[in-house]
Amino acid sequence: MSTHASDPLAALGSLPGVADAVDSVRKAVDRVYGHRVMRRRSNEISSEAALRGARGSAALSGADWALEEVRRRTDFSADPEARTVGAALRLGAEAGQLLSIWRQSPLRVLARLHLVAAGEQGEPVGRPRLDGEAVDEPLIASAAPSPAEVAGRLDGLAELIVAGGDAPALVTAAVVHGELLALRPFTSCNGLVARAAERIVLVGSGLDPKAICPAEVGHAEQGRAAYLAAFEGYLSGTPEGVGGWIAHCGRSVELGVRESTAVCEALQRGAA
C-alpha cells in the first residue's frame, strides 16, 4: 500500500472500478436500511447478521459449517473447527464493543480482537508476533513479513486510521482487511481478526451503523479461491490489483446486504 499521498486512502478511490463499487455498495446498503422490517425489528436483523457473518468468516478459515449447526452448537472447544467457529462468534460479539476505541487506538483494538479470538489456547495472544514465532494461517500461502516490518506497517496503518480523511468506508475497510491479511501480525487467527476489523470499519464509519450488512457472508459466498485471487491482487500493489480487491470487498458487502434483505423478507412473511 502506497503512503506517499497526503491522504493515501482517499487517493485509492480513483483506482479502476473503485468508484463504481463504492456507489453500488452505498445504494445496496440504503435499500436494506429502507426495508419496512428495519423500522421495528432491526435488532433481530443485526443479531442474525452477526451469526451469519461469523459462520462466513469461520468458513474462510477452514470451518465451513451449516448455519443451523452454528446456531445449534453450544460447545466450541471439541476440535479445531469448533474452536474456529467459536472464535468467529466471539469476535462478532466483541466487535460492537470496540467501535468507540477504534478511531483513537486501532492497535489496541486489534490486540483485543486477537485475545478474544485465540482464547485460552496456550499461545502468545493479544500482541504482535516476535522473531522466531511461527504464523499459523493455512489459507494464506505467501511469506509473512518479518516482525520488524509488521510493526512499521501496523504503525502506518494506525496513523492513517487515527488521522481520518475523506476515503469512503468501503476503501478503508478493504485496506484494513488486506493489510492485516498481508501482515499476519499474530501467531494465529489473522484472517478472523482481519475480517472482524473490516466489519468494525464498515459499522463505525456510519455506512452500516446497525451492523446488518455482513461482508463475511459475501466473502464466503464468493468462495475461498476468489477471495485468495483478489487478495493476491492486493499483494501485487498494482492499481488494478488493489482496485480489484476493493471491488471484491464491495461485492461481499452487497452479498451481505442480500442475505439480510432475505432475512427481512422472511420476518415480514412470518417465516423466521
Side-chain angles (χ1 to χ4, degrees):
M1 182 183 63
S2 171
T3 59
H4 65 275
S6 59
D7 188 351
L9 292 179
L12 297 180
S14 63
L15 292 178
V18 171
D20 288 343
V22 168
D23 184 57
S24 185
V25 165
R26 178 75 268 174
K27 290 177 179 176
V29 172
D30 286 347
R31 283 195 299 271
V32 72
Y33 270 83
H35 197 286
R36 60 186 300 179
V37 170
M38 281 295 296
R39 290 197 293 270
R40 61 187 187 278
R41 303 182 73 173
S42 64
N43 288 342
E44 293 173 70
I45 308 301
S46 297
S47 296
E48 190 65 19
L51 181 74
R52 295 176 185 225
R55 193 218 73 82
S57 189
L60 286 172
S61 286
D64 192 359
W65 288 13
L67 180 64
E68 291 311 311
E69 176 66 10
V70 178
R71 198 188 304 277
R72 178 193 69 80
R73 184 73 73 95
T74 56
D75 179 12
F76 294 99
S77 62
D79 54 68
E81 283 198 8
R83 288 192 289 273
T84 295
V85 175
L89 288 167
R90 291 193 300 273
L91 284 171
E94 186 74 11
Q97 311 303 312
L98 299 171
L99 296 172
S100 63
I101 306 171
W102 174 255
R103 283 295 298 272
Q104 286 73 44
S105 185
L107 298 185
R108 179 181 163 196
V109 169
L110 293 176
R112 175 63 185 170
L113 290 174
H114 184 247
L115 182 65
V116 168
E120 299 178 1
Q121 296 185 23
E123 61 186 67
V125 297
R127 62 158 176 79
R129 55 189 166 83
L130 305 176
D131 285 323
E133 291 180 340
V135 179
D136 179 15
E137 194 64 47
L139 180 63
I140 308 299
S142 61
S146 69
E149 182 179 350
V150 168
R153 287 173 63 177
L154 278 180
D155 285 344
L157 183 63
E159 288 172 6
L160 290 175
I161 293 166
V162 171
D166 298 324
L170 172 63
V171 171
T172 303
V175 168
V176 167
H177 185 168
E179 278 293 283
L180 292 175
L181 279 185
L183 296 178
R184 278 149 286 161
F186 304 109
T187 57
S188 66
C189 302
N190 289 288
L192 294 172
V193 168
R195 291 183 288 275
E198 178 185 50
R199 169 176 281 247
I200 286 173
V201 174
L202 293 171
V203 175
S205 67
L207 176 67
D208 179 24
K210 294 183 183 296
I212 62 166
C213 308
E216 307 97 319
V217 167
H219 286 303
E221 186 171 332
Q222 293 184 84
R224 295 175 84 179
Y227 184 73
L228 290 175
F231 173 62
E232 287 298 323
Y234 179 84
L235 277 183
S236 74
T238 65
E240 294 77 15
V242 176
W245 168 251
I246 295 170
H248 180 87
C249 291
R251 179 61 179 156
S252 296
V253 175
E254 291 187 62
L255 290 169
V257 167
R258 188 176 72 178
E259 186 91 351
S260 288
T261 301
V263 172
C264 287
E265 295 293 334
L267 288 171
Q268 186 166 283
R269 293 192 305 268

